Amino acid sequence: MHSKVIIIGSGPAGHTAAIYAARANLSPVMFEGMMAGGVAPGGQLTTTTEVENFPGFPEGITGSELTDKLREQSTRFGTDIITETISRVDLAARPIKVWREDADGDNDAPDTCDALIVATGATAKRLHIAGEDEYWQRGMSACAVCDGAAPIFRNKPLVVIGGGDSACEEATFLTKYASHVYIAVRRDAFRASNIMAKRAANHPKITVLWNTHVAEAKGNGSQLTHVVLQDAKSGEKRDLEVSGLFYAIGHTPNTAFLSGQLDTDETGYLLVKPGSTITKIRGVFAAGDVHDKQYRQAITAAGSGCMAALDAEKYLEELEAEEQEKAAAGKL
């Protein structure tokens, strides 16, 4: 199947790109993925309970509900959404080739497109400690900015796991709402920059737990109530009463299927031309958290998706003009 535009990914970036592309009569096709990156179609947003910082929803909305509304809007304007995962691509080919996960053999026919928007996001790293499956999104999260203001965390003790800039930044952010914030650091020093480390260590509402692992999450069956800490040196365990646990150990951009065909930074995020979504390969665009390691918010991803659709539309106009020029030159 050939399309003018294929969008890989179905979070706020992918759906916003789809809405803009569809309204521009580009008839986009979206591969929303089937448990791609370990999460359901819709991406990381589907793992968030209450979303209170997305404009237009003054009473808040759940991540799953917001995803459903984005999907409904995409289909309303004519986006063809396919619930399959793209497992590999050939970005050097013209047209661009993409293979579905169940059609990955060398002899299987690929889907093709003139413009490709990569909006596959980044998956938050998790430690999968004991109790995590039971209390994920019931006191456990991987985004303090997304979830930290939720009522269940207000005026309650919280713990952040991590030792880098993200951990220090998120712990400091959480002090706006929490009664106290602990940072569990597995070593005896931060990996964070000096300024971020000092800011966290000197904050009156933050206590740093050096050489400490969080071994288990426990609760009352419906909500996290405490965690089990383990001393990294002695192995001694003790309970810590907290109402929230936040992972701040980084994200993994979902780019393995690209097989290194696009440039990335040292942590794997796709590189784009500043102020755009344009990658090093003409006709290929990156939107959302797959290239944004700084903000990682639903609203910024949506804005990036808009940019990608507009960049793709401009590229397709240029491509059409080039083909017309070639056709005219052939007639001379």
Side-chain angles (χ1 to χ4, degrees):
M1 177 180 67
H2 180 77
S3 311
K4 286 184 178 180
V5 179
I6 284 179
I7 300 165
I8 306 176
S10 56
H15 278 298
T16 305
I19 291 164
Y20 272 78
R23 284 174 52 83
N25 295 319
L26 298 180
S27 303
V29 171
M30 171 186 285
F31 287 93
E32 65 177 353
M34 175 53 72
M35 297 307 293
V39 295
Q44 292 290 297
L45 192 59
T46 62
T47 69
T48 299
T49 48
E50 291 296 320
V51 179
E52 297 182 319
N53 55 6
F54 198 95
F57 301 96
E59 302 301 320
I61 186 171
T62 69
S64 294
E65 288 172 338
L66 180 55
T67 298
D68 289 344
K69 288 183 178 294
L70 290 170
R71 194 179 196 277
E72 182 180 347
Q73 192 170 357
S74 293
T75 55
R76 177 194 168 200
F77 289 112
T79 302
D80 182 9
I81 299 179
I82 300 172
T83 310
E84 293 191 51
T85 300
I86 295 300
S87 60
R88 66 186 177 101
V89 299
D90 184 353
L91 304 183
R94 288 295 177 269
I96 297 167
K97 298 178 181 179
V98 305
W99 282 266
R100 307 183 192 194
E101 197 168 46
D102 61 352
D104 201 29
D106 292 336
N107 296 323
D108 290 318
D111 293 279
T112 60
C113 62
D114 298 315
L116 178 68
I117 296 176
V118 179
T120 46
T123 302
K125 295 179 181 178
R126 293 163 58 173
L127 296 178
H128 301 287
I129 62 175
E132 181 170 323
D133 289 342
E134 183 176 3
Y135 292 107
W136 188 253
Q137 289 305 326
R138 291 195 287 173
M140 296 183 69
S141 170
C143 183
V145 176
C146 309
D147 301 328
I152 61 171
F153 300 128
R154 288 181 178 268
N155 301 310
K156 303 289 179 62
L158 309 174
V159 62
V160 174
I161 299 178
D165 280 348
S166 293
C168 293
E169 185 174 1
E170 298 208 357
T172 302
F173 173 83
L174 288 170
T175 60
K176 299 176 183 179
Y177 311 104
S179 60
H180 198 79
V181 180
Y182 300 92
I183 306 178
V185 185
R186 63 181 180 178
R187 304 189 307 171
D188 58 3
F190 281 121
R191 292 181 292 103
S193 60
N194 285 335
I195 187 170
M196 293 298 296
K198 288 180 179 178
R199 185 178 301 168
N202 294 332
H203 198 289
K205 292 179 70 175
I206 293 177
T207 297
V208 183
L209 306 172
W210 303 113
N211 300 303
T212 300
H213 297 287
V214 176
E216 186 176 357
K218 290 187 173 183
N220 57 17
S222 61
Q223 181 68 38
L224 180 77
T225 58
H226 64 283
V227 296
V228 178
L229 303 179
Q230 183 174 20
D231 188 285
K233 293 183 176 180
S234 68
E236 180 182 353
K237 293 184 177 181
R238 64 185 177 92
D239 288 350
L240 177 68
E241 183 178 332
V242 293
S243 295
L245 181 156
F246 292 84
Y247 283 133
I249 54 177
H251 291 70
T252 302
N254 299 317
T255 58
F257 71 100
L258 297 172
S259 301
Q261 295 176 68
L262 293 177
D263 288 343
T264 66
D265 68 6
E266 67 281 359
T267 54
Y269 288 86
L270 297 182
L271 296 177
V272 296
K273 180 181 177 182
S276 79
T277 62
I278 299 170
T279 69
K280 76 167 187 177
I281 296 182
R282 194 165 182 240
V284 181
F285 308 90
D289 290 7
V290 75
H291 81 82
D292 172 24
K293 66 179 181 180
Q294 182 172 356
Y295 299 105
R296 295 195 298 267
Q297 299 299 301
I299 191 63
T300 53
S304 179
C306 166
M307 293 170 61
L310 296 176
D311 286 343
E313 182 182 5
K314 181 180 179 182
Y315 164 72
L316 291 171
E317 290 172 353
E318 294 172 351
L319 193 64
E320 183 178 359
E322 291 169 6
E323 290 175 350
Q324 290 175 350
E325 289 178 4
K326 289 178 181 178
K331 294 178 180 179
L332 296 178

